[in-house]
Amino acid sequence: MIAKLQCVVLDCPDVLELARFYRSLLGGEVNRPDPRWSLDEHWSTLHTDGGFVLAFQHAEDHRPPRWGDPARPQQFHLDLGVEDLDGAVAGALALGGTVLDDGGGERGWVVLADPAGHPFCLVREQPSRPGA
């Protein structure tokens, strides 16, 4: 192993807005003091309860991905596990997310975009089986 993942960084026009959006989805603390980063109008972080860190970097000319358009591909996305898919989608929409692909209700995930246009999936978690 050469390195350890410190965080995943998303470019966006408003770092604090996007950090708060993901805090509402994932829980955690926005802009916890951390010696690895300076926090300002160009950089914000979200330390999730599970220890994972998302960071948000200001991009003046941010051009969000366009779902299904190879000229502006998604480049990456987050899969976020949820117990209640319909409830989670409704919650994400209330926070400013938008549905990109609901799969017609025929699958266990929905593709959404955050307020800056980054795609993410809400994925129905399968209940664990006893003894599994």
Side-chain angles (χ1 to χ4, degrees):
M1 178 174 79
I2 294 173
K4 291 182 181 179
L5 180 66
Q6 285 191 345
C7 66
V8 172
V9 182
L10 289 83
D11 286 353
C12 60
D14 185 328
V15 298
L16 196 52
E17 174 191 34
L18 205 56
R20 289 176 175 156
F21 173 83
Y22 279 102
R23 177 191 59 206
S24 295
L25 283 178
L26 301 171
E29 183 180 349
V30 171
N31 288 343
R32 178 192 308 167
D34 187 314
R36 295 176 288 184
W37 304 293
S38 296
L39 302 169
D40 57 27
E41 68 275 5
H42 298 288
W43 186 269
S44 187
T45 60
L46 173 65
H47 287 74
T48 67
D49 295 338
F52 187 75
V53 179
L54 286 174
F56 309 93
Q57 179 174 275
H58 177 75
E60 187 66 39
D61 295 322
H62 176 69
R63 292 185 55 209
R66 198 174 297 140
W67 182 254
D69 181 353
R72 289 186 37 199
Q74 66 177 332
Q75 302 171 7
F76 89 102
H77 73 272
L78 302 171
D79 281 355
L80 308 176
V82 298
E83 291 181 15
D84 173 8
L85 183 57
D86 293 335
V89 169
L93 294 175
L95 294 169
T98 55
V99 173
L100 298 176
D101 181 0
D102 67 5
E106 299 295 318
R107 60 180 193 222
W109 73 91
V110 174
V111 183
L112 296 100
D114 66 25
H118 303 104
F120 66 96
C121 294
L122 295 176
V123 181
R124 183 181 298 116
E125 290 187 343
Q126 301 301 317
S128 58
R129 295 176 293 154

